[in-house]
Amino acid sequence: MRSNQNVINNQSVISSGFDRGAHLKSILWPLLFGAAFLVVWQAGIFHQLLDLKPFQLPVPLQILETLQKNLTKTLLDAKVTLSGALIGMLLGSLLGFGIAALATCLPKWGYGGMVIVSAFNAVPIVALSAIMNCWFTDGMYQKIGVVTIVCMAAMAINAYSGLNNLKPYSLDLMHTVAASPFTIFRKLRFPNCLPYIFTASKINIAAAIIAAIISEYFATSTSGLGFGIKDHLRKAEMAMGWSYIVVASLAGVLFYCIIILVERKAIKWHASQR
């Protein structure tokens, strides 16, 4: 008996070692690829391949130096963009989940909402920006409106899948114990939906930042990353424009990592987190 227990412990240690090794590789390879990409860029290989002049494509060290000199202004503009993106993402996600819940509980009425949301998802962000410019005079409201519509579809579609793709016989079991529709939703459908909600959130965070930047690009606002990119590229201040792009990319990666950390804590019981 003790011998069997030792074998199981050894297998667990070996399996844990393999998992750590695989996890380390999954981090190291992207980092190495990113470092190689920056070295090639800094060496001017892209300039030679694409026949670009240095002022057309600043090298990474020049962008970093420009970002350091204008860090305060860049962070203030990032705050404007990210606040609109996060508020819009929150509103869009809540509306999307509400439509998915309605389609689950009242299929006859709610499924029409799913079709409409899917249709909204096909509208280009550029067209949405123009529509919101007509509806709102404030740049922040324009941005929140665009991001809200962009984020609704991903959450609605994913949440609807999570609320309805239940384990076999689980719904029959709830019916045999005479569980009410609210109990079924709270005890069965919503926990099953949580992994889908996090998947939609990871999709939406990148979409929200992109939509907010594009909205600022076309809106009447005079601040934000989108306005900064447009303004500095128009003035041929390429390094400053790229600084805004770098900040936007880093913000997207940061928020994506935060969602992953929250997901690991919130659904530790799910197979995807083991």
Side-chain angles (χ1 to χ4, degrees):
M1 187 68 181
R2 181 174 295 178
S3 175
N4 290 338
Q5 186 64 42
N6 290 335
V7 171
I8 292 173
N9 290 337
N10 290 336
Q11 288 177 341
S12 300
V13 171
I14 293 171
S15 176
S16 175
F18 278 125
D19 290 343
R20 281 198 296 270
H23 181 64
L24 191 62
K25 285 181 179 178
S26 68
I27 296 174
L28 280 179
W29 280 116
L31 286 177
L32 288 173
F33 178 80
F37 182 83
L38 291 176
V39 169
V40 170
W41 185 355
Q42 182 66 33
I45 305 297
F46 294 139
H47 296 80
Q48 296 175 12
L49 290 175
L50 302 174
D51 193 23
L52 295 174
K53 305 299 180 188
F55 74 89
Q56 292 176 301
L57 179 62
V59 293
L61 289 180
Q62 185 184 356
I63 296 170
L64 182 62
E65 184 181 355
T66 305
L67 179 59
Q68 285 178 333
K69 291 178 181 175
N70 301 277
L71 186 60
T72 304
K73 182 179 184 302
T74 310
L75 291 180
L76 287 175
D77 282 331
K79 182 181 176 183
V80 173
T81 301
L82 296 178
S83 57
L86 293 178
I87 293 172
M89 177 183 162
L90 181 63
L91 289 175
S93 298
L94 288 174
L95 286 172
F97 182 81
I99 292 169
L102 189 64
T104 302
C105 299
L106 301 170
K108 186 182 292 184
W109 300 99
Y111 200 73
M114 293 290 295
V115 174
I116 293 173
V117 167
S118 300
F120 273 136
N121 193 41
V123 179
I125 298 176
V126 176
L128 285 176
S129 300
I131 293 169
M132 293 301 160
N133 287 347
C134 295
W135 288 5
F136 303 106
T137 56
D138 187 275
M140 179 60 79
Y141 292 147
Q142 295 168 2
K143 187 166 31 192
I144 291 173
V146 172
V147 176
T148 299
I149 293 177
V150 167
C151 292
M152 267 197 307
M155 180 58 74
I157 294 168
N158 278 278
Y160 184 78
S161 298
L163 292 171
N164 291 279
N165 291 340
L166 305 174
K167 291 181 180 177
Y169 309 115
S170 57
L171 196 58
D172 293 337
L173 179 62
M174 295 297 280
H175 287 153
T176 57
V177 297
S180 67
F182 178 71
T183 302
I184 293 174
F185 187 89
R186 187 167 61 89
K187 297 283 189 182
L188 179 62
R189 293 189 188 276
F190 185 70
N192 190 70
C193 184
L194 281 175
Y196 295 84
I197 290 176
F198 281 108
T199 299
S201 299
K202 285 185 279 189
I203 295 171
N204 277 345
I205 188 62
I209 293 175
I210 292 171
I213 289 175
I214 294 176
S215 174
E216 289 170 346
Y217 206 93
F218 292 98
T220 56
S221 59
T222 56
S223 61
L225 294 175
F227 172 77
I229 292 170
K230 178 180 70 173
D231 189 47
H232 290 289
L233 293 185
R234 182 174 57 83
K235 297 175 183 173
E237 297 171 348
M238 297 299 179
M240 191 62 194
W242 275 94
S243 300
Y244 279 92
I245 294 171
V246 169
V247 171
S249 302
L250 291 177
V253 172
L254 176 64
F255 282 112
Y256 188 87
C257 293
I258 290 173
I259 292 173
I260 289 177
L261 291 176
V262 174
E263 181 184 23
R264 286 181 180 175
K265 293 291 183 184
I267 55 170
K268 289 188 289 189
W269 45 268
H270 194 259
S272 63
Q273 305 302 317
R274 292 173 190 164

